[in-house]
Amino acid sequence: MKILVVDDDKEIVELLSIYLKNEGYDCIKAYDGKEALSKIRTDDEIELMILDVMMPEKDGMQVVKEVRKESSLPIIMLTAKSGDLDKIHGLVAGADDYVTKPFNPLEVMARVKSLLRRSTKQVTNDQPDTIQAGSLTIVKDSHEVTTEDGKEIQLTALEFGILYLLASNPNKVFSADEIFERVWQQESVVSAKTVMVHVSHLRDKVEEATNGEKVIQTVWGVGYKINGK
């Protein structure tokens, strides 16, 4: 399984490369944004990207935005800025997760494994194969979401995970912490804003494809749900 590591700091790239190889991954390296985009567009076997924010040529935010026009490739951003606003900017751009520098490489490996579990479509076996949520049809095995007129909605692995969790538990309200722990498969740590941004992306995609249908409901001060019959 190939993972692309992108950072203009070669020591960081080499460090992550060692840890990734120890976990059995094939590490592909890039040192600026343009090189990263070139590798993604020429190697369709890359399964995940670890991406620094501050880089020459194209910065990480620009790279994420361009990748998201073409792909739902899982992306973990590395940022030297620890403020919530900087993290939210990365998520709004389209990243799936973020790690703040300086980081523990073992934490990065945990994030990689978690995202890959989602992207390889591991959904709890006791959940139904196909779910109806409003006008949407959600298929577990293929990770497909389609509208009633047959239009497919392209979702990232985490967006699909949120939608499937809510749709498979109709009328149940999930807090941001519960969504984070169930979908990210990690203990919740300051997750509310992360979940909020992903839910916002998910809503935008669903509403665009369904001419404004409000599938996901916000229960203010509590969390999110999808209404069922």
Side-chain angles (χ1 to χ4, degrees), residues 14-157:
E14 291 305 315
L15 175 65
L16 290 175
S17 174
I18 290 169
Y19 276 82
L20 287 167
K21 288 177 180 177
N22 285 342
E23 294 290 341
Y25 301 115
D26 184 4
C27 181
I28 310 300
K29 305 171 186 178
Y31 303 101
D32 62 59
K34 282 188 176 180
E35 185 181 8
L37 289 169
S38 175
K39 288 183 182 293
I40 288 170
R41 288 165 176 160
T42 56
D43 189 342
D44 59 9
E45 294 183 353
I46 292 173
E47 299 285 347
L48 181 144
M49 175 167 58
I50 302 171
L51 175 68
D52 186 33
V53 173
M54 302 299 293
M55 291 187 300
E57 302 293 339
K58 287 182 180 288
D59 67 25
M61 299 295 185
Q62 292 173 300
V63 172
V64 171
K65 289 176 181 177
E66 291 201 30
V67 170
R68 282 292 171 260
K69 293 176 184 177
E70 307 167 7
S71 169
S72 59
L73 178 76
I75 300 172
I76 298 173
M77 296 202 79
L78 302 177
T79 173
K81 300 179 179 181
S82 59
D84 281 347
L85 188 60
D86 298 301
K87 296 172 183 177
I88 289 172
H89 283 161
L91 296 171
V92 168
D96 295 288
D97 205 349
Y98 53 80
V99 176
T100 303
K101 295 180 179 179
F103 55 80
N104 183 334
L106 294 177
E107 179 189 359
V108 180
M109 294 305 105
R111 302 291 182 93
V112 166
K113 291 175 183 177
S114 176
L115 269 181
L116 288 175
R117 279 197 298 269
R118 303 311 309 170
S119 65
T120 51
K121 307 174 183 177
Q122 294 183 7
V123 181
T124 305
N125 289 331
D126 59 0
Q127 293 173 317
D129 291 333
T130 302
I131 299 173
Q132 201 72 30
S135 66
L136 302 180
T137 299
I138 305 164
V139 183
K140 178 180 72 173
D141 290 339
S142 62
H143 269 210
E144 290 179 344
V145 179
T146 53
T147 64
E148 59 187 359
D149 59 358
K151 183 187 300 181
E152 185 173 352
I153 304 175
Q154 297 293 331
L155 301 180
T156 67

Side-chain angles (χ1 to χ4, degrees), residues 169-224:
N169 296 275
N171 302 313
K172 176 177 171 59
V173 181
F174 286 87
S175 70
D177 286 344
E178 289 173 322
I179 291 172
F180 190 89
E181 290 173 1
R182 295 278 292 270
V183 175
W184 274 253
Q185 298 180 5
Q186 300 173 32
E187 184 178 353
S188 175
V189 180
V190 195
S191 60
K193 291 183 176 66
T194 300
V195 172
M196 178 187 70
V197 172
H198 284 283
V199 169
S200 177
H201 280 305
L202 174 58
R203 276 181 166 150
D204 288 345
K205 291 179 180 181
V206 169
E207 291 178 16
E208 181 180 358
T210 60
N211 295 318
E213 183 179 0
K214 307 291 185 183
V215 174
I216 299 173
Q217 308 295 318
T218 298
V219 181
W220 294 107
V222 184
Y224 305 95

